[in-house]
Amino acid sequence: MATCDTCGNDYDRAMTIELDGQTHTFDSFECAMHRLAPTCDVCGVRVVGHGVQANGTVYCCAHCAERAGVEGIEDRVSA
């Protein structure tokens, strides 16, 4: 069995994920997201969806990017 990097659970159906040259082991997607998902630089939530990025910084949404002084990012574009 393999041990989850996040919670320490020994699980016979664990998965491995390679990111930036490092291999991680998890017993669930929840543990993988908790460990690997980036954090919004403004509000601190884990960015599990697309999020937005500007100047190498990750934000959960355009609102948080705007709060950080980023201009020109929108969550959606009108047709």
Side-chain angles (χ1 to χ4, degrees):
M1 291 200 293
T3 302
C4 178
D5 291 350
T6 301
C7 70
N9 183 33
D10 283 332
Y11 188 54
D12 65 334
R13 298 187 68 199
M15 66 181 118
T16 57
I17 297 175
E18 186 175 325
L19 179 67
D20 297 330
Q22 294 183 335
T23 301
H24 306 273
T25 303
F26 302 104
D27 67 345
S28 66
F29 288 115
E30 181 179 8
C31 283
M33 288 185 290
H34 181 74
R35 177 64 62 99
L36 300 178
T39 303
C40 177
D41 199 55
V42 172
C43 69
V45 302
R46 293 278 179 192
V47 181
V48 179
H50 294 317
V52 295
Q53 189 171 0
N55 303 318
T57 302
V58 175
Y59 305 97
C60 66
C61 62
H63 174 74
C64 279
E66 185 178 277
R67 286 177 55 196
V70 178
E71 296 180 6
I73 292 181
E74 296 182 25
D75 286 320
R76 67 182 85 153
V77 178
S78 300

